[in-house]
Amino acid sequence: MILLRVWLTEKPYRIFREGIGRARRRFRATTNEERTAFHLWSMDFESNYDIAASAQFIHTHNFTRVALQFPDHLLKDSTRVVTALRKRLQSLKKCDATGSGHETDVGLFVMADTAYGSCCVDEVGASHINADCVIHYGHTCFSPTTTLPAFFVFGKASICVADCVESMSKYALANSKPIMVLFGLEYAHSMQQIKEALLESSMSCRFDAKPEVHFANVPSSVMFPSKDIKKINGLQEQASGASGTTCSIGGLTWKLPEGQSMDDYLLFWIGLDDSAFANVVLTFNACEIVRYDANEKQMVTDLFQQRRILKRRYYLVERAKDANIVGILVGTLGVAGYLHIINQMMELITGAGKKAYTLVMGRPNPAKLANFPECDVFLYVSCAQTALLDSKEYLAPVITPFEAMIAFNRGSQWTGAYVMEFRDLINLPEMEVIDQEEARFSFLKGGYVEDFENQENVEEEREVLSLVNATEKALQLRNNSNALMKGNARSGAEFLANRSYQGLNMPSENNSPEPYLIGRRGRASGYEDEKNKQ
Amino acid sequence: MVNFTVDELRRIMDRKHNIRNMSVIAHVDHGKSTLTDSLVAAAGIIAQEVAGDVRMTDTRQDEAERGITIKSTGISLYYEMTEGDLKNFKGEREGNEFLINLIDSPGHVDFSSEVTAALRITDGALVVVDCVEGVCVQTETVLRQALGERVKPVLAVNKMDRCFLELNLDAEEAYLTFQRVVESANVIMATYEDALLGDVQVYPEKGTVAFSAGLHGWGFTITNFAKVYASKFGVDEAKMMSRLWGENFFDSATKKWTKKHTGTSTCKRGFVMFCYEPIKQIIQLCMNDQKDKLWPKLQQLGLKLKSEEKELTGKALMKRVMQSWLPANRALLEMMIFHLPSPASAQKYRVDNLYEGPLDDPYAHAIRNCDPDGPLMLYVSKMIPASDRGRFYAFGRVFSGKVSTGLKVRIMGPNYVPGKQKDLYVKSVQRTVIWMGKKQETVEDVPCGNTVAMVGLDHFITKNATLTNEKEVDAHPIRAMKFSVSPVVSVAVTSKVTSDLPKLIEGLKRLAKSDPMVVCTMSETGEHIISAAGELHLEICLKDLKDDFMNGAEISISDPIVSFRETVFERSCRTVMSKSPNKHNRLYVEARPMEDGLAEAIDDEKIGPGVDPRNRSKILSEEFGWDKDLARKIWCFGPEGKGPNMVIDTCKGVQYLNEIKDSVVAGFETASKSGPMAEENMRGVCFEICDVVLHADAIHRGGGQIIPTARRVFCAAMLTAKPRLLEPVYLVEIQAPEQALGDIYSVVNQKRGHVFEEIQRPGTPLYNIKAYLPVIESFRFNESLRAQTGGQAFPQLVFDHWDMVPSDPLEPGTPAAARVAEIRRKKGLKEQMMPLSEFEDRL
């Protein structure tokens, strides 16, 4: 993480250097699509970065330490944003200063290179500088925060309204079902225009049948933390009680009339083929979806690749069913309820007779995960838009909490319904455990395999014989050639015992305990004893 | 008019010396099911008149329609012999009643897994051979399988009626034909010299060969005739038997037996004179309706016909007369009872083949002695769909102890490892049932030596399992069956409606259970795959899935998927190197093809992870010319830890090498599972690790660094060693008349196959053609062959070997490159394969 610190009172910038190279590398790695999005950003700087609204937000809530969170590709604009924001705040303050007497400095901090996805609010990073609010720039997943209020600046991507409306009405006329328009948040600014234009065109339309087009809304760009995880869902339930159901995904919300479900709609997505879109495709996989690409000015109807993802996820779930050891990867430290879901997953996994280990390692990559060869499957707890990690590079599949629910709950079935956001899982009604008197059938092995913990009488036997088993293992001749074969060990210790190399041997002669030594204190970047030397 | 009751049956089940478990095996269309019918008729389950037409054991509708057997079916028969008949019986027996548990098996090569399952639970085999077509491929295959399982064979030369009615063979010619059949069967059996099993060859003069006409329900052994003539001539029965076969001639003028043909017209071979001619005579009389001559003849034979039967004419009359004169069931059953072992005697020598555990433990003893009071040892060889939708009977053989209704059993699945809890269940048997063709009878318990079907275990057994008593925790399982065919043809199935997926899953589960060979798996892209032994097998499986197991939900079926293998042609042109993600570790590897036959040896588990390293290096150095030291440095096999690829360590004096072995093995596992070209399994590739540079800190050479690097370097090594694709190839055997040969050649060539053998069957106008045919071209081969030859040629296809696709897949435009692109497209990969630079690094 880099903290770029800019005090209002003319102090020089101070940059924590160590992360910059990493950020640069990652910038180079950003995809072309992201870069085109970035070019669009330069339209009109002030309005693009929503300087006025964000200054107003800071000012009205009297925040004094504000963290500005930039994704890597926007980092180069950060100083200009800070300057502009500072100017605006000062002018606001002047207006105010005449009224009230007290005067405080507003500290603006630039945060970049977040530990997890840049779409989530990095609350941990912000708390390093005791920030009392975060202003988040760029693409966001709108995951709720736990402690800090956040203001989101989506940016404004250009779109040809006329063309968009034309293709939308064309599509609407070709289909009889009502259409629900969803969009990338960077296009939120022009939605009003599109709505009006569509209305106009339908007025002038000669056809009698008017297309039924609904738009999703962006409720607000401000988010306040909710302490109680139940409350978020509580609110939703209330809304559903009033008139139909409220759906929300990635910051968009819309209402469905009573008795209708999303399957009755066609989805029209305006925006890029990014993680937000993938999220929509997976969640509403039963709907027909088309995408309007604003850059190319064309409709994309072939979503074969996205459908393919769903099948692949199905395969991963089947793989997960065969797993014995599950590594829970903590992929967020900010999204509300993440601790709750981790605990819930732990319970689920142990309940299924498997072993769970929790791993915190920042953004996962294949090399990092390969350091844990004992894990048969990884469970990635993160915000909805960074949740899907799938590449053949990974040695073990990485699944989402929802997939884990299917894989580890006996009797639950893959029906095609898919939930991305883990907070939707927290209040999910306890799945009815159908006590099927049948062993589990594994499609990877092509036969029945049993997680034997589920059989009671064998369990007793295990306890009685545990000592015998332990000694037996110690005496066993090992077949080293397939030591790292997956799926044999039931716990990390057992896995280690099967490895051909188990680390250095402890010297056995010296049995007396080592004397206590006082270790170093501080962080790895500079321990306390090292600081003294400088 | 069932002439025996369940109680009677159950009573004999306890007499282990009076039981015969046997299977009927043969080439397709040699008349197994028909012959079985005539046996069943003897037990009185079906009427004597329709025997030969009903095909009692073809219980499925499609079996009846297609006229082939698809599933093996068990049937229990009761047979009572007279004291006089048994006077020559040497073995142990208790009383004159015998129980014969018979399993009829399919003859088509696609279903030979059913034969394997049948052989496992039987002790004897009735090998049926068409007297005209002779010993065919499938006869040979099943015979080898039977002997491999230590199942004792007896021979039935079937379709005798063809000799008399169709071919009108001269008696001497007919004899030669029969003799050839017997000899060619003996040639195969002679290769299985087994001290414990004894001489397994068959001899007509010893009564181990029967001659039958299944369709007409008659048959005989030399014994039958010998008995008659022995009393007539007043000679010893055994002596008479030896005279009725082989080089023994009788001159009716001089009434003398000679060893050579004397040249006079009255001198005839014993068999011709006393067996063949009388039958021929009777048949001719019947067919020509010469009833005036027939009646006295019958009188002479001591046969009495009912008055309404006397009204019959032609074929019907012939059938009736022959059935009452030489009933097939009597000949066959007596042959079985006399010459096939009882469970008590068979299990003595079969135990070595069956039991996995030490041969001196109580379980081995119980099996050896067929001990009804010993611990239960039961092998479930197949699952049979029950009338109750979605449920299955577990069908198997009790080797020792007793299985009873309500008994709690320990189910050891195929992956069970003694002492571990894997693949192990303890459940109770809800019901024990004995199988009688189309109907089942519930019995209280079934003792050892018998076949049994059990209800209530189908939720825990996929295909086969070993059952024992609940408390017998030390028991080892009974060895898994080894199939002669492997599932090479696959399709992907998906439900048409997404929400029907649970139904599909349920259906696939049932399908996997219903057939010993079909494999239901899943591809990495999330598609359900069904793999079967051949096109017909696949067709039957899909039909079952659609009609019976899916509850009406619709499915869509993809085009057939054929899996390929990736291999190398030469040693790598240079040592390739890959760096770890942190650039601190380097692996240097070369790839080379394995020696000829080595991959097959690994497939057969002659060399592999399970073999003692000392033996392994001995075989490698002696048979494959390996350096002895090198043979000791094999790190691993793969994929799955046992596949036909390996990693050898050839580095010298490298530090920390032992630490990264596990990581390299893990990387090799993924690399050998999906090669660099089309992500297919590798085959016959040997990787040599030439050098390794590792970081001094353990954390920087951990799994995270080494596993991906190992995988990359193996792929790179492969790409530099002239990679090639291997495609599966069928061995095709076709039997057809001469005029069809031209068409057969053209069809085979059209499908990229080539004929490598063409032999005329001696004494027939038929030709035997053997050809190799790539599996990928084989779809619809059957139909086009039949269409081209007007139904005269009927091919049998068995997977035979992997064949290299000759062109270079790395060169654009070649057939191999096109094939790679096609596979990649099907798998949803980028059509362009990854370049070498993706895998290899430079210093």
Side-chain angles (χ1 to χ4, degrees):
Chain A
M1 183 190 60
I2 312 166
L3 276 180
L4 209 81
R5 188 179 194 197
V6 193
W7 286 100
L8 267 180
T9 48
E10 308 303 320
K11 281 184 187 168
Y13 303 146
R14 191 172 152 218
I15 299 168
F16 287 88
R17 283 247 163 222
E18 71 249 283
I20 285 210
R22 196 143 53 104
R24 249 185 229 141
R25 270 207 302 283
R26 205 176 290 163
F27 175 62
R28 255 184 264 129
T30 48
T31 60
N32 275 335
E33 276 177 6
E34 274 173 18
R35 261 184 239 177
T36 46
F38 149 73
H39 282 302
L40 303 171
W41 277 79
S42 49
M43 275 198 318
D44 175 13
F45 192 78
E46 283 266 327
S47 87
N48 203 352
Y49 280 96
D50 234 350
I51 302 292
S54 33
Q56 195 60 44
F57 170 73
I58 297 168
H59 189 72
T60 46
H61 291 91
N62 267 330
F63 293 125
T64 53
R65 294 168 76 83
V66 178
L68 311 178
Q69 186 187 338
F70 286 89
D72 298 336
H73 64 280
L74 293 181
L75 202 57
K76 61 171 273 190
D77 282 345
S78 58
T79 49
R80 280 174 77 193
V81 172
V82 169
T83 329
L85 207 55
R86 189 172 55 196
K87 253 187 215 153
R88 184 58 65 96
L89 277 170
Q90 264 165 349
S91 70
L92 277 174
K93 208 159 36 173
K94 264 178 207 150
C95 305
D96 243 28
T98 49
S100 64
H102 67 92
E103 193 174 308
T104 43
D105 275 346
V106 177
L108 296 177
F109 299 82
V110 174
M111 294 197 297
D113 192 29
T114 46
Y116 302 106
S118 56
C119 61
C120 306
V121 176
D122 185 4
E123 288 180 83
V124 178
S127 64
H128 275 302
I129 41 137
N130 293 324
D132 41 24
C133 90
V134 178
I135 297 183
H136 182 280
Y137 293 91
H139 178 80
T140 176
C141 57
F142 241 93
S143 303
T145 54
T146 17
T147 50
L148 295 176
F151 183 87
F152 293 95
V153 179
F154 307 132
K156 286 168 188 171
S158 70
I159 180 169
C160 176
V161 173
D163 186 66
C164 175
V165 167
E166 198 195 320
S167 45
M168 196 186 294
S169 46
K170 225 188 262 168
Y171 178 66
L173 284 171
N175 290 286
S176 56
K177 279 183 173 182
I179 289 176
M180 178 63 68
V181 179
L182 306 179
F183 45 87
L185 291 172
E186 64 272 23
Y187 295 103
H189 64 100
S190 43
M191 274 309 124
Q192 201 52 43
Q193 277 172 284
I194 292 177
K195 260 189 227 177
E196 280 161 15
L198 187 72
L199 203 66
E200 234 169 73
S201 78
S202 69
M203 293 291 236
S204 61
C205 187
R206 283 162 301 175
F207 303 110
D208 296 329
K210 275 183 191 147
E212 203 184 330
V213 182
H214 304 266
F215 283 84
N217 299 315
V218 181
S220 113
S221 52
V222 183
M223 181 186 284
F224 287 95
S226 51
K227 290 270 165 351
D228 188 6
I229 184 68
K230 303 269 171 191
K231 217 186 258 169
I232 312 171
N233 293 295
L235 264 170
Q236 263 184 343
E237 272 160 38
Q238 261 183 4
S240 71
S243 64
T245 34
T246 307
C247 297
S248 71
I249 186 166
L252 301 171
T253 58
W254 64 93
K255 264 184 193 164
L256 290 179
E258 197 84 54
Q260 277 192 327
S261 72
M262 274 316 289
D263 298 359
D264 303 328
Y265 287 85
L266 300 171
L267 291 186
F268 190 93
W269 173 265
I270 303 170
L272 297 169
D273 186 6
D274 56 3
S275 59
F277 178 55
N279 191 3
V280 168
V281 174
L282 275 185
T283 312
F284 303 112
N285 58 58
C287 306
E288 194 182 306
I289 301 176
V290 287
R291 183 169 74 87
Y292 174 76
D293 196 312
N295 294 340
E296 308 280 320
K297 290 190 183 168
Q298 61 178 11
M299 300 254 286
V300 183
T301 43
D302 180 28
L303 297 171
F304 180 67
Q305 207 53 39
Q306 270 77 16
R307 303 279 179 206
R308 201 166 195 130
I309 294 175
L310 194 69
K311 276 194 166 174
R312 171 80 183 165
R313 302 312 295 185
Y314 173 49
Y315 166 74
L316 295 182
V317 169
E318 288 294 319
R319 278 277 298 269
K321 284 181 181 172
D322 285 350
N324 286 326
I325 304 174
V326 185
I328 302 178
L329 299 178
V330 182
T332 173
L333 293 172
V335 181
Y338 78 94
L339 272 179
H340 192 281
I341 194 81
I342 288 173
N343 287 333
Q344 192 181 334
M345 286 297 128
M346 280 288 237
E347 272 169 38
L348 179 70
I349 293 163
T350 41
K354 299 174 195 299
K355 187 94 185 152
Y357 295 97
T358 312
L359 311 167
V360 185
M361 55 164 68
R363 212 175 295 189
N365 63 34
K368 275 187 203 172
L369 295 193
N371 279 324
F372 301 93
E374 46 276 80
C375 293
D376 300 319
V377 62
F378 292 99
L379 169 53
Y380 190 42
V381 177
S382 73
C383 79
Q385 296 190 5
T386 51
L388 296 185
L389 285 179
D390 180 36
S391 144
K392 291 246 167 86
E393 298 290 304
Y394 290 97
L395 289 174
V398 183
I399 59 168
T400 66
F402 171 72
E403 287 160 351
M405 298 268 262
I406 294 180
F408 302 142
N409 258 331
R410 251 178 110 75
S412 54
Q413 278 172 327
W414 177 277
T415 52
Y418 201 86
V419 183
M420 295 286 289
E421 308 248 2
F422 64 72
R423 58 177 183 275
D424 296 340
L425 294 176
I426 292 175
N427 285 10
L428 216 64
E430 188 85 354
M431 259 189 242
E432 218 177 298
V433 181
I434 316 150
D435 191 27
Q436 278 175 317
E437 262 291 294
E438 185 170 356
R440 195 173 63 71
F441 192 93
S442 161
F443 275 104
L444 296 170
K445 305 218 169 87
Y448 281 119
V449 291
E450 189 47 88
D451 320 318
F452 55 83
E453 260 76 358
N454 293 326
Q455 308 174 50
E456 323 106 55
N457 35 13
V458 179
E459 184 67 57
E460 288 163 32
E461 224 167 81
R462 264 167 72 79
E463 274 165 36
V464 176
L465 292 175
S466 59
L467 186 68
V468 182
N469 288 342
T471 38
E472 201 172 42
K473 258 174 214 149
L475 294 172
Q476 243 167 22
L477 262 178
R478 265 179 246 295
N479 185 2
N480 283 331
S481 60
N482 50 2
L484 268 196
M485 288 290 289
K486 295 259 166 193
N488 293 327
R490 304 202 65 89
S491 71
E494 206 173 301
F495 183 85
L496 179 72
N498 278 324
R499 285 184 71 131
S500 67
Y501 176 76
Q502 297 164 350
L504 299 173
N505 291 325
M506 293 289 173
S508 53
E509 312 91 71
N510 191 5
N511 287 328
S512 61
E514 293 288 326
Y516 282 112
L517 287 174
I518 293 167
R520 285 166 158 181
R521 296 169 73 90
R523 290 195 211 148
S525 59
Y527 295 105
E528 279 176 9
D529 55 331
E530 285 173 337
K531 267 183 197 163
N532 296 340
K533 279 175 201 163
Q534 279 177 352
Chain B
M1 46 161 254
V2 176
N3 63 14
F4 65 101
T5 63
V6 179
D7 292 334
E8 267 178 293
L9 259 188
R10 177 64 195 84
R11 196 159 37 77
I12 321 171
M13 278 186 173
D14 283 328
R15 304 184 199 155
K16 59 183 180 183
H17 294 291
N18 285 25
I19 304 169
R20 299 289 182 271
N21 292 309
M22 47 148 313
S23 36
V24 186
I25 56 176
H27 189 79
V28 65
D29 244 4
H30 281 194
K32 290 172 300 298
S33 304
T34 317
L35 200 60
T36 310
D37 258 8
S38 45
L39 294 180
V40 176
I45 297 175
I46 51 174
Q48 196 71 222
E49 291 80 37
V50 288
D53 303 329
V54 186
R55 290 166 67 107
M56 183 71 185
T57 46
D58 284 356
T59 46
R60 293 159 50 110
Q61 200 195 339
D62 50 350
E63 287 183 324
E65 280 165 10
R66 285 168 190 263
I68 58 164
T69 309
I70 292 165
K71 302 284 174 196
S72 57
T73 317
I75 197 155
S76 293
L77 305 174
Y78 166 86
Y79 189 69
E80 199 173 341
M81 290 180 83
T82 61
E83 206 49 59
D85 288 337
L86 282 167
K87 69 175 191 290
N88 287 333
F89 188 75
K90 303 269 168 14
E92 285 180 79
R93 63 187 173 96
E94 305 160 55
N96 304 340
E97 298 153 310
F98 286 89
L99 173 67
I100 289 142
N101 295 317
L102 193 92
I103 296 176
D104 179 30
S105 68
H108 195 280
V109 67
D110 280 10
F111 309 110
S112 64
S113 54
E114 293 276 347
V115 181
T116 315
L119 286 172
R120 169 51 63 89
I121 56 171
T122 51
D123 306 311
L126 178 66
V127 184
V128 182
V129 182
D130 185 323
C131 67
V132 180
E133 289 187 10
V135 173
C136 294
V137 229
Q138 191 58 8
T139 318
E140 197 177 324
T141 320
V142 291
L143 200 51
R144 281 185 200 286
Q145 262 186 7
L147 294 166
E149 278 276 348
R150 285 194 177 158
V151 167
K152 201 166 184 165
V154 288
L155 192 70
V157 179
N158 199 22
K159 301 203 180 177
M160 290 284 280
D161 45 325
R162 283 181 81 177
C163 287
F164 298 110
L165 302 177
E166 212 177 285
L167 303 171
N168 259 324
L169 285 185
D170 176 72
E172 187 62 24
E173 262 176 61
Y175 169 79
L176 290 174
T177 313
F178 302 150
Q179 200 193 21
R180 249 194 316 267
V181 170
V182 175
E183 266 170 15
S184 48
N186 276 339
V187 164
I188 300 164
M189 296 193 236
T191 56
Y192 281 82
E193 274 297 322
D194 191 335
L196 284 164
L197 192 55
D199 187 8
V200 288
Q201 300 192 38
V202 290
Y203 306 99
E205 65 270 29
K206 286 188 183 161
T208 47
V209 177
F211 301 88
S212 61
L215 196 63
H216 298 154
W218 58 267
F220 64 92
T221 58
I222 299 292
T223 325
N224 297 132
F225 280 100
K227 243 182 237 164
V228 177
Y229 293 116
S231 55
K232 201 170 163 187
F233 291 112
V235 258
D236 182 43
E237 207 176 302
K239 199 170 177 190
M240 195 64 215
M241 274 171 80
S242 67
R243 280 181 177 165
L244 287 182
W245 186 259
E247 304 297 305
N248 291 298
F249 299 86
F250 185 72
D251 197 326
S252 49
T254 58
K255 304 227 183 264
K256 281 226 168 74
W257 287 93
T258 46
K259 283 279 167 200
K260 260 190 207 144
H261 197 274
T262 51
T264 54
S265 61
T266 45
C267 179
K268 277 180 185 167
R269 196 183 285 275
F271 178 78
V272 171
M273 177 93 184
F274 296 105
C275 306
Y276 195 82
E277 303 250 280
I279 296 172
K280 196 173 174 183
Q281 221 174 359
I282 297 268
I283 289 181
Q284 264 165 2
L285 288 177
C286 292
M287 292 308 282
N288 300 336
D289 277 337
Q290 293 166 305
K291 292 194 181 176
D292 46 336
K293 285 187 192 163
L294 183 63
W295 300 145
K297 200 88 192 162
L298 293 184
Q299 203 102 55
Q300 210 182 323
L301 292 168
L303 284 179
K304 280 196 187 100
L305 290 186
K306 290 183 200 133
S307 54
E308 71 260 28
E309 288 168 347
K310 288 190 178 172
E311 301 301 312
L312 295 169
T313 53
K315 251 192 182 161
L317 176 70
M318 185 269 287
K319 190 174 168 185
R320 191 66 221 112
V321 169
M322 289 305 288
Q323 264 180 11
S324 32
W325 180 31
L326 298 166
N329 56 60
R330 212 180 99 205
L332 291 172
L333 289 175
E334 285 183 13
M335 177 167 75
M336 288 170 204
I337 290 166
F338 272 81
H339 300 286
L340 291 183
S342 69
S345 52
Q347 284 180 204
K348 278 197 184 72
Y349 53 80
R350 286 192 75 190
V351 64
D352 315 17
N353 274 26
L354 290 171
Y355 190 56
E356 267 191 0
L359 290 173
D360 52 358
D361 74 356
Y363 309 100
H365 273 300
I367 296 175
R368 189 173 293 125
N369 299 332
C370 194
D371 183 1
D373 304 317
L376 173 69
M377 287 303 274
L378 191 159
Y379 189 76
V380 175
S381 70
K382 64 172 283 178
M383 308 293 284
I384 303 173
S387 48
D388 188 2
R389 243 168 203 276
R391 299 307 297 261
F392 288 84
Y393 291 102
F395 186 70
R397 153 95 174 256
V398 190
F399 284 100
S400 75
K402 244 180 213 168
V403 63
S404 56
T405 301
L407 181 75
K408 258 203 168 175
V409 291
R410 205 173 140 84
I411 306 170
M412 298 182 270
N415 297 319
Y416 172 75
V417 182
K420 299 260 173 67
Q421 306 292 329
K422 207 176 160 192
D423 212 356
L424 176 76
Y425 316 90
V426 176
K427 294 289 161 217
S428 44
V429 178
Q430 284 172 9
R431 215 146 53 83
T432 47
V433 171
I434 47 175
W435 209 265
M436 304 201 304
K438 284 177 183 162
K439 64 177 181 171
Q440 302 93 45
E441 297 283 350
T442 305
V443 288
E444 188 56 36
D445 58 353
V446 175
C448 58
N450 290 286
T451 51
V452 63
M454 287 157 293
V455 180
L457 303 177
D458 57 335
H459 279 165
F460 307 94
I461 304 174
T462 321
K463 290 177 195 297
N464 36 58
T466 308
L467 309 189
T468 183
N469 293 111
E470 189 191 355
K471 296 284 172 233
E472 308 290 352
V473 288
D474 296 328
H476 286 244
I478 286 172
R479 196 158 284 145
M481 293 184 287
K482 209 165 180 221
F483 294 107
S484 63
V485 287
S486 46
V488 280
V489 191
S490 316
V491 286
V493 288
T494 41
S495 52
K496 280 208 175 124
V497 187
T498 337
S499 53
D500 276 343
L501 189 69
K503 273 189 193 166
L504 176 66
I505 289 174
E506 196 54 39
L508 288 171
K509 243 194 254 181
R510 289 178 195 168
L511 177 65
K513 262 187 274 191
S514 69
D515 189 289
M517 175 52 67
V518 74
V519 178
C520 297
T521 48
M522 198 178 210
S523 71
E524 293 222 340
T525 48
E527 282 163 316
H528 284 284
I529 307 284
I530 300 176
S531 312
E535 213 183 349
L536 178 64
H537 187 204
L538 192 63
E539 192 187 317
I540 298 290
C541 289
L542 288 171
K543 188 179 161 293
D544 278 358
L545 179 69
K546 272 191 277 191
D547 299 352
D548 298 342
F549 301 139
M550 286 280 292
N551 291 330
E554 284 193 62
I555 51 170
S556 45
I557 298 158
S558 77
D559 284 338
I561 305 164
V562 175
S563 68
F564 283 74
R565 294 285 184 269
E566 298 184 15
T567 191
V568 293
F569 188 52
E570 276 177 9
R571 176 175 275 277
S572 297
C573 55
R574 59 172 184 274
T575 308
V576 290
M577 183 270 285
S578 297
K579 287 179 188 169
S580 62
N582 65 8
K583 317 280 180 224
H584 287 305
N585 306 286
R586 297 196 287 271
L587 301 178
Y588 295 83
V589 169
E590 278 179 23
R592 65 170 176 85
M594 280 182 181
E595 286 77 4
D596 282 343
L598 184 50
E600 286 73 25
I602 297 173
D603 282 340
D604 299 342
E605 293 178 4
K606 268 195 269 173
I607 301 167
V611 181
D612 179 46
R614 230 173 301 153
N615 280 346
R616 192 162 67 198
S617 63
K618 198 175 153 207
I619 298 174
L620 281 173
S621 59
E622 282 171 9
E623 286 179 31
F624 297 102
W626 279 41
D627 187 59
K628 262 210 169 132
D629 295 325
L630 195 65
R632 266 186 228 120
K633 286 186 172 166
I634 297 173
W635 266 9
C636 60
F637 295 86
E640 307 288 341
K642 56 177 188 216
N645 302 288
M646 52 177 131
V647 177
I648 315 165
D649 157 37
T650 61
C651 1
K652 290 187 179 69
V654 175
Q655 229 179 345
Y656 316 122
L657 193 62
N658 57 339
E659 280 182 47
I660 64 156
K661 185 178 163 188
D662 287 334
S663 306
V664 173
V665 171
F668 173 66
E669 176 65 29
T670 42
S672 58
K673 221 177 233 168
S674 61
M677 290 188 288
E679 303 207 346
E680 293 281 335
N681 283 2
M682 292 183 187
R683 182 181 170 83
V685 189
C686 186
F687 292 105
E688 294 180 351
I689 301 177
C690 305
D691 194 11
V692 172
V693 177
L694 295 171
H695 194 276
D697 283 354
I699 188 67
H700 295 303
R701 49 181 148 88
Q705 299 298 333
I706 303 297
I707 296 174
T709 316
R711 181 176 166 190
R712 285 176 61 228
V713 78
F714 289 138
C715 288
M718 211 169 148
L719 287 180
T720 54
K722 295 213 171 157
R724 290 287 185 269
L725 273 188
L726 292 177
E727 64 174 350
V729 176
Y730 275 133
L731 169 68
V732 187
E733 175 145 339
I734 309 166
Q735 206 161 55
E738 194 174 359
Q739 63 269 25
L741 288 186
D743 295 323
I744 294 172
Y745 271 90
S746 76
V747 175
V748 169
N749 288 338
Q750 204 185 325
K751 298 265 184 187
R752 268 203 306 128
H754 65 100
V755 176
F756 66 93
E757 196 184 288
E758 180 195 308
I759 296 175
Q760 187 175 12
R761 270 199 172 279
T764 61
L766 293 174
Y767 278 82
N768 250 15
I769 297 150
K770 282 186 182 172
Y772 287 128
L773 182 75
V775 172
I776 195 137
E777 306 286 346
S778 71
F779 304 104
R780 264 172 263 297
F781 175 69
N782 252 342
E783 281 105 274
S784 54
L785 191 64
R786 236 176 282 173
Q788 284 275 319
T789 61
Q792 286 174 309
F794 184 74
Q796 293 253 22
L797 288 76
V798 201
F799 168 71
D800 192 71
H801 65 279
W802 294 96
D803 203 9
M804 194 177 284
V805 180
S807 51
D808 184 357
L810 298 182
E811 206 168 290
T814 57
R819 184 72 72 207
V820 167
E822 191 195 323
I823 302 170
R824 293 184 69 92
R825 194 170 53 242
K826 271 188 187 166
K827 287 188 176 173
L829 305 165
K830 258 184 265 161
E831 227 157 276
Q832 204 55 46
M833 62 174 107
M834 296 263 248
L836 178 59
S837 55
E838 279 293 313
F839 301 116
E840 190 188 16
D841 292 313
R842 304 231 163 258
L843 262 180

